[in-house]
């Protein structure tokens, strides 16, 4: 068989298979098949294949001969089948288009849903931000209201304090007037006493000889020239938190609100406290070996290796040092301000070891000088606490050696070498000679150079002279190394 025969056989087989599938799926073709089968078992279905000149889209199956059976397939049926197939094809294409459109719609719907979810999240976020902003503004409003209330309270307090300050100014003016009147009265009484003394002794009393030393290094650029005594204790109470000195009849050291205070101890002295590990300057409790009771002192641990027990401090005029014998014996003042430790305590300290004395002086220009003595102690009360000093060294000048060996003098116990009472003229208690070259317990004058009938300021003759009152003074002792 040639290639043409094989092609024709293959064409016939495909046509027959397609017809069989169409008969199985199409009711009309099934009807044709049943009509053919009804002709009997001996009848066979014969097919005639027509190949017209025009292109045939599918096979045409026709029965041999003519019949009037209602199940016989005609050309009209084939045309109907073709029309149905064409309609179904069009519907299929339409459905495809619809499916494509629906798919696009579904995709768009998915995108819209996603955008809707994003929009909901954004709306929720904006809502939370708006809520937070509302809460914050409400809190700011509350804070603003509280601030306004505090401003009103502060304004009211300021007005009250201003009124109180005006009242205090009026009281201060009244007290100043009283002090001036008293000063005038005291001056008048002194003149009368002088007159009485003159009538009794046929010659007027002379004051103590003035200090003739005029040091070359006297501070000349002083802030102001004044003779005002600083007695405004209320001001010092506000600034330093300490109380003013006791009345001249009281005899105990006052104990203000304590700061830098060690609860340990008591120690023998401040060097003993330093050796126990206390390297901070402050208030400590000490009890000398032969003392009856412990006392509080200020320990200076920041200069010259520390260990200094402060005996006396002058720095602001907040404490009155014009005291009687009992006051100077027991001590007075404020430990963290101006104070005098007490002659009995100083005597007890000096008996337990060999001590040296350091005197620190500060002028009104802020310059500090010192005088140090190689040994220091006092004799007992039976000897009126006579002063015993060693050799001098320092840069302040030696103004204390002339007081060496002198007894302590107060207004009510005169032990000096002058015919009168040096404590009366110098307004303090000291180891006066006649009367001497220094007066560290005198009146605290503001400004340095002062005017006074007698030299009653806190002076050190070899530094500043007798009419220059020092700004601050400290006396302190430490065991000899």
């Amino acid at each position: 068989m040639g290639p043409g025969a094989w092609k024709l056989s293959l064409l016939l087989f495909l046509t027959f298979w397609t017809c069989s599938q169409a008969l199985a799926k199409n009711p009309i073709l099934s009807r044709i098949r049943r009509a053919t089968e009804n002709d009997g078992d001996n009848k066979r279905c014969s097919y005639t294949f027509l190949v017209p000149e025009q292109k045939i889209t599918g096979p045409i199956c026709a029965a041999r001969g003519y019949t009037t059976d209602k199940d016989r397939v005609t050309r009209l049926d084939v045309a109907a089948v073709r029309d149905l197939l064409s309609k179904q094809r069009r519907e299929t294409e339409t459905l495809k288009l619809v499916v494509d459109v629906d798919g696009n719609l579904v995709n768009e719907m998915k995108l819209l849903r996603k955008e809707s979810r994003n929009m909901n999240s954004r709306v929720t976020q904006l809502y939370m931000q708006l809520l937070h902003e509302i809460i914050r503004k409400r809190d700011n409003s509350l804070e603003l209201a509280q601030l306004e209330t505090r401003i009103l309270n502060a304004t009211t307090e300021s007005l009250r304090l201003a009124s109180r300050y005006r009242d205090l100014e009026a009281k201060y003016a009244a007290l100043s007037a009283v002090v001036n009147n008293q000063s005038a009265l005291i001056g008048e009484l002194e003149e009368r006493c002088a007159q009485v003394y003159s009538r009794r002794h046929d010659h007027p009393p002379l004051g103590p000889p003035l200090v003739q030393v005029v040091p070359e290094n006297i501070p000349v650029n002083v802030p102001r020239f004044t003779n005002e005594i600083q007695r405004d204790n209320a001001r010092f109470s506000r600034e330093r938190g300490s109380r003013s000195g006791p009345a001249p009849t009281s005899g105990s050291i006052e104990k203000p609100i304590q700061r830098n205070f060690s609860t340990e101890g008591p120690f023998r002295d401040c060097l003993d406290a330093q050796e126990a590990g206390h390297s901070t300057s402050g208030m400590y409790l000490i009890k000398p070996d032969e003392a009856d009771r412990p006392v509080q002192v200020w320990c200076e641990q920041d200069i010259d290796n520390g260990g200094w027990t402060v005996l006396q401090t002058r720095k602001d005029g907040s404490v009155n040092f014009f005291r009687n014998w009992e006051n100077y014996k027991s001590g007075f003042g404020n430990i963290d301000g101006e104070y005098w430790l007490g002659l009995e305590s100083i005597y007890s300290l000096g008996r337990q070891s060999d001590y040296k004395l350091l005197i620190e002086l500060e002028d009104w220009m802020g310059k500090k000088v010192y005088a140090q003595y190689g040994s220091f102690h006092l004799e007992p009360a039976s000897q009126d606490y006579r002063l015993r000093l060693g050799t001098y060294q320092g840069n302040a000048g030696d103004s204390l050696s002339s007081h060496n060996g002198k007894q302590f003098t107060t207004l009510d116990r005169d032990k000096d070498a002058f015919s009168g009472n040096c404590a009366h003229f110098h307004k303090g208690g000291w180891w006066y000679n006649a009367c001497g070259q220094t007066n560290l317990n005198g009146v605290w004058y503001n400004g340095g150079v002062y005017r006074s009938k007698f030299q009653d300021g806190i002076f050190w003759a070899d530094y500043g002279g007798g009419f220059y009152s020092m700004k601050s003074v400290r006396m302190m002792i430490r065991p000899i190394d």
Side-chain angles (χ1 to χ4, degrees), residues 235-242 259 315-316 318 336-337:
R235 176 172 66 86
F236 293 105
S237 298
R238 291 193 301 270
E239 294 178 356
R240 306 195 52 81
S242 62
R259 55 186 176 86
K315 57 183 177 180
D316 52 26
S318 59
D336 61 343

Side-chain angles (χ1 to χ4, degrees), residues 310-315 321 337-340 473-475:
V310 179
L311 308 181
Q312 179 246 38
T313 300
R314 305 296 305 276
K315 57 183 177 180
F321 273 67
E338 290 195 342
Y339 81 98
W340 172 261
V473 176
R474 288 199 302 178
M475 299 176 59

